[in-house]
Amino acid sequence: MGPFRFDRSGSQIAIRSIFPLHPDKGGCTCWGRQFIWRVSVMALSSPSTGKGIALSLVCLVMLGIMPILSNLRGADVGALGFAFALSAWQVVFAAPLFVWERDRGRRAGLGFDLPRRERGRMILVALFTGTLFGLATYLYVLGIEKAGATNAAIAIQAYPLFAILWETLFLRRRKRAVELALTTVLIGSLYFLGTGGTFRMSGLSSWFLVSLGVPFLWSVAHVIIKEELRNTPITPVQITFFRVAISALFLLIILLVMMPSGLAAGFDAFVQPMSAIMGLIYFLELIVWFHAVRHVDVSLASSMTAPWPALTMVLAVPFLGDAIAVHQVVALLIVIACVYGLTRASLRA
């Protein structure tokens, strides 16, 4: 597996890789040795490694505080309502950028010029992946509430496990001994954390398993989005906008089905200041990430953001009143070490 490489030509970037290092980027994840992601962008200025690292650290901060913000919402705001509200706020923040890009003539990715059959397929893919992201957002909020901000944050770092699963099943890529060893240790550390440091199956938290559903759904959606980025001219801004719009619609439908007063609950959650703040931070994190990888390789940017659960752990004590156990610290250190090890192994392959 080769390293991430940037090929700049005119107003396009080509990113080559096979290891998905950054989970929730709505299409930022890359799969397949021959896969080239071309992102339409404005003419780029000279890349700056320092700026790329600084932007990556900004992403780390935002990733670390999002679980805290999720659990700081009002006690009367449920997980489903909050997930819908923050998704709706993301639509609000993404819409101006989407309109700006459209007005600059970037309409090709919307499918207007494609054959009817291809346009219909794009719509179905958008609906399906948007639904997956919507469900992942709900599990994100629910898992952080029930499993705790620290446990859920560490669980989300299991994303490489699902990446390895898809590579093995669909790309038939054989793993080296070091990768298999690191994967085994990573699985063991997550099991250790999920059982509360006991290693007993009876102590395995079901809410920890719910949190593991977040990276699982992200990885499935990213496999599909990768194909769209390769085969259609859709841009990251368009993907981001349609992703959050469809996610918000999906969660609103679930609200209406699951709760008699779902519409009122959704509106009440939407007007909560914390919903707007969470939606803004989530949206900005996506945008800052895209700018970070203009300046540095995705592998470097991902390595810089990997320790974000440590920030969540530190902030959870004063802001949420959580007590951090020794087994959580141990599990976090092992998980971060394994993620870095898998990153280095992928670059040397």
Side-chain angles (χ1 to χ4, degrees):
M1 178 164 52
F4 290 91
R5 299 191 303 276
F6 282 77
D7 300 333
R8 289 179 172 85
S9 175
S11 62
Q12 288 188 324
I13 298 175
I15 300 178
R16 303 173 186 272
S17 175
I18 110 174
F19 190 74
L21 292 169
H22 202 280
D24 186 28
K25 297 303 159 206
C28 181
T29 302
C30 308
W31 298 76
R33 190 176 297 276
Q34 301 300 322
F35 170 55
I36 297 177
W37 174 28
R38 298 199 175 276
V39 184
S40 298
V41 296
M42 296 182 296
L44 297 177
S45 58
S46 298
S48 168
T49 301
K51 184 180 292 185
I53 291 175
L55 291 173
S56 299
L57 291 176
V58 172
C59 286
L60 181 150
V61 172
M62 289 190 286
L63 287 168
I65 66 176
M66 283 195 295
I68 307 300
L69 294 175
S70 181
N71 275 0
L72 283 176
R73 69 183 188 274
D76 58 333
V77 179
L80 183 56
F82 188 71
F84 158 73
L86 74 89
S87 297
W89 276 111
Q90 286 187 79
V91 177
V92 173
F93 296 123
L97 190 57
F98 174 78
V99 172
W100 173 82
E101 186 178 80
R102 186 198 62 185
D103 291 343
R104 291 179 62 87
R106 297 177 187 173
R107 298 167 59 89
L110 300 178
F112 294 123
D113 300 327
L114 295 177
R116 182 176 181 180
R117 182 176 180 180
E118 183 69 11
R119 186 165 62 248
R121 185 193 61 78
M122 282 185 61
I123 293 174
L124 289 177
V125 168
L127 290 173
F128 181 65
T129 55
T131 298
L132 291 180
F133 282 123
L135 181 58
T137 301
Y138 171 56
L139 295 184
Y140 179 95
V141 176
L142 184 64
I144 289 171
E145 174 188 332
K146 300 296 186 180
T150 298
N151 282 355
I154 299 174
I156 293 172
Q157 287 294 76
Y159 187 90
L161 295 179
F162 298 109
I164 290 171
L165 173 64
W166 304 136
E167 287 179 355
T168 302
L169 292 178
F170 300 111
L171 301 180
R172 305 297 181 185
R173 180 180 175 274
R174 297 181 63 182
K175 297 297 177 182
R176 295 182 300 152
V178 63
E179 292 175 290
L180 292 175
L182 288 170
T183 301
T184 301
V185 174
L186 183 55
I187 292 174
S189 64
L190 290 171
Y191 178 75
F192 172 71
L193 178 65
T195 59
T198 65
F199 279 116
R200 291 195 292 267
M201 180 64 73
S202 59
L204 186 62
S205 169
S206 59
W207 294 117
F208 183 79
L209 297 178
V210 168
S211 298
L212 287 175
V214 177
F216 172 80
L217 291 172
W218 281 345
S219 65
V220 173
H222 288 155
V223 171
I224 301 171
I225 286 178
K226 178 270 298 183
E227 293 297 326
E228 291 304 298
L229 287 170
R230 182 175 65 178
N231 298 323
T232 66
I234 194 167
T235 70
V237 169
Q238 293 165 356
I239 282 184
T240 300
F241 175 77
F242 287 120
R243 164 190 160 175
V244 296
I246 295 171
S247 296
L249 179 60
F250 166 76
L251 291 169
L252 177 60
I253 293 173
I254 298 301
L255 262 177
L256 296 176
V257 172
M258 298 295 295
M259 301 174 58
S261 57
L263 188 60
F267 178 78
D268 290 341
F270 182 79
V271 298
Q272 292 282 334
M274 196 56 67
S275 299
I277 295 172
M278 180 73 172
L280 177 61
I281 296 297
Y282 205 152
F283 170 72
L284 288 178
E285 193 273 329
L286 296 175
I287 299 302
V288 171
W289 173 259
F290 283 131
H291 284 280
V293 297
R294 289 184 179 183
H295 297 280
V296 296
D297 288 349
V298 178
S299 56
L300 175 58
S302 299
S303 297
M304 296 300 297
T305 61
W308 68 264
L311 178 59
T312 300
M313 178 182 293
V314 171
L315 295 177
V317 176
F319 288 99
L320 302 178
D322 291 356
I324 304 303
V326 174
H327 74 270
Q328 291 176 307
V329 178
V330 172
L332 175 61
L333 294 176
I334 295 175
V335 167
I336 292 176
C338 288
V339 170
Y340 275 120
L342 288 170
T343 301
R344 291 180 60 85
S346 70
L347 295 177
R348 292 180 176 180

